[in-house]
Amino acid sequence: MEMCFQILLQGKRVTQRELFYKLLCDSPDYFSSQLEVNRSVQDVVALLRCSRFSLGIMASTRGLVAGRLSLQEPGKEAVDCSACGSSGFPISGDLNLLDNTIITSDARYIILVEKHAIFHRLVEDRVFNHIPCVFITAKGYPDIATRFFLHRMSITFPHLPILALVDWNPAGLAILCTFKFGSVGMGLEAYRYACNVKWIGLRGDDLNLIPQESLVPLKPKDSQIAKSLLSSKILQENYREELSLMIETGKRAEIEALYCHGYNYLGKYIATKIVQGKYI
Amino acid sequence: MEGKFQISDTTNLLRKIKDFTRSIVEDLAEGKSPEISINRFRNYCNDPEADCFCSSDEPKGREILTLRKTSQTYRIDMLLRVLLIVQQLLQENRHGSKRDIYYMHPSAFKAQSVVDRAIADICILFKCSRYNLNVVSVGNGLVMGWLKFREAGRKFDCLSSLNTAFPVPVLVEEVEDVVSLADYILVVEKETVFQRLANDMFCKTNRCIVVTGRGYPDVSTRRFLRLLMEKLQIPVHCLVDCDPYGFEILATYRFGSMQMAYDIESLRAPEMKWLGAFPSDSEIYGVPQQCLLPLTEEDKKRTEAMLLRCYLKREMPQWRLELETMLKRGVKFEIEALSVHSLSFLSEVYIPSKIRSESLPVTNLI
């Protein structure tokens, strides 16, 4: 806490690694690993009921957004996220900046994409022009900035359904749940940015769409994640069924498995599911 | 590279693919096995005298694939399957990653490595780069600073927002109108160092471009760096952790990777300088003892393996010396250890003074 106080006094920010080294030299008897520093930070966050960001700890730019959306940061020109080249528009790690950004959109859906490669495919094919939507990805496990951004989107556009496209494996579901309920590892910070996210794919009833070879065995880590998810009280029944199916068959599948039908199949798949209202 | 491989080149490549396939069919029609010659490339070896030809980009031997051996038949089969997909990508003007290609026929390909090998074979056969086949992967690099450019119609005006990170474009061949007044390019290993520089508003007081690959640099980051070097003709400095992994990253930027040895020319930065951190820096800049972490067994093995590489002996003996010092001392440290006394030490003192001493004519240039 003292360290963060001093850093904030200087008007600066610090990365968790830098914090570790400073504490290593300052109080070597108390801190000997990055893990200890991270835990202490979480404790402080819980105690002061603040965010890591407000303690002066820098967040990285991980998330990307693309689609029928326009973002205007204070003092700058509005950026059209449907004209973003091949990469999408990066979601800033600065929560204050995100809070003060003006968002306008004519999308009808918000689609969360687990993986960067899938996001890239959807953006390159301009799928947001066929299905009026906004694509958001955190490139894996969601960081605070992406969750914050999603939360802002859900408040600004309360009627837009938020649909998640994740791999059919426990890790994918864990990512969906983090957006939906918050992250266990983040303590009290977690619930703040929870959003009503629905699972559009990849799901158990899509398994007939993919070739047998794409169903690969679960890794030991997957089983651990599945157990941990199943033990959570807030997990809804239909999600439990999906997890049980994964564990029983001992298999998992990635979204890319759908590519066997051709590249543009992914857009059609999403469109079909939306039209049929097949999301849980 | 920009301007060198355009639409007409795609047409050329498609024609070459057709010609290649036709010659195979002709061979088969005559009842004989086609002979496909695939060159071998490497960018370094472990020759102790460095008495090798690794510095040249020429192939170091070749393999001839025929249908007479089962293993080679398999390799030809995979090559043709991937070639078919590549042809479709080119004809439809779409891009796909190596992983996407694997997923198109997972039963045939059986493993990602099979696809990777086929793609390398195709590139060598048609003497082109991976991106010419429209095989690209999403990039992970970031750039900021005194730079403006366009990619696929979108404007990247890094100059207007000097301390904002912009993603390194994936389709580097579509980058145009590169404009810059920077004095040098600074490549940093880690995203956290990049963030530190952004937070300290490094680019406001230093006219430069900062690039990071966020760890081991991917192909698009390396190509983008190469493009900037060719267009701007300014010095490039590299800042990595003082540990074997950091050195490996430095070597990848500077000498290229073995995996992509067939395409070395467009992927390496031959005049890149090693700015730091050196083992000697820990004394000069007062890194506290606790921040000097011991080298693990894995670290030591890695360092010993790197010391054997011929390109170090031949081209950068000073780098080799520093690496030996690291091994002898048995300790490593990260860049962040330099900021222990003052968070802005890196941006206000370390980097500017190192760059200044680089530009003096008579110094120990590393």
Side-chain angles (χ1 to χ4, degrees), chain A residues 7 10 12-15 17-18 21-22 24-25 28 58-62 76 83-90 116-117 120-121 124-125 139 211 213-214 254 256-257 259-260 262-264, chain B residues 89 94-97 99-101 103-104 106-107 138-140 151-152 154 156 161 164-165 167 170-171 191-192 195-196 199-200 214 288 290-291 293 334 336-337 339-344:
Chain A
I7 292 168
Q10 288 174 36
K12 288 192 160 286
R13 296 200 164 277
V14 72
T15 66
R17 195 71 179 148
E18 286 172 332
Y21 277 111
K22 272 190 156 325
L24 191 64
C25 297
M58 285 198 255
S60 58
T61 313
R62 277 246 302 280
K76 297 224 190 109
C84 47
S86 56
S87 42
F89 188 75
H116 192 181
H120 190 255
R121 158 77 32 233
E124 200 190 20
D125 292 351
K139 299 197 237 176
E213 298 76 22
S214 298
E254 298 193 5
E256 286 93 331
Y259 287 166
C260 65
Y263 279 139
N264 30 21
Chain B
L89 287 176
R94 310 175 90 120
H95 298 86
S97 71
R99 197 148 180 72
D100 292 350
I101 294 180
Y103 272 107
M104 306 209 91
S107 53
V138 287
N140 217 14
E151 182 236 1
R154 180 189 170 194
F156 283 76
S161 190
T164 308
V170 172
L171 301 175
E191 183 184 0
T192 47
Q195 279 180 301
R196 161 57 46 220
N199 196 242
D200 288 349
R214 291 206 248 201
Q290 307 97 308
C291 300
L293 311 168
E334 295 183 51
E336 284 89 339
S339 306
V340 157
H341 302 300
S342 151
L343 280 179
S344 36

Side-chain angles (χ1 to χ4, degrees), chain A residues 169-199:
Chain A
N169 61 19
L173 185 57
I175 286 173
L176 190 159
C177 289
T178 305
F179 277 114
K180 198 171 168 112
F181 306 117
S183 151
V184 170
M186 292 183 79
L188 277 181
E189 260 191 307
Y191 70 91
R192 229 188 262 203
Y193 309 123
C195 301
N196 187 12
V197 179
K198 304 223 196 304
W199 189 359

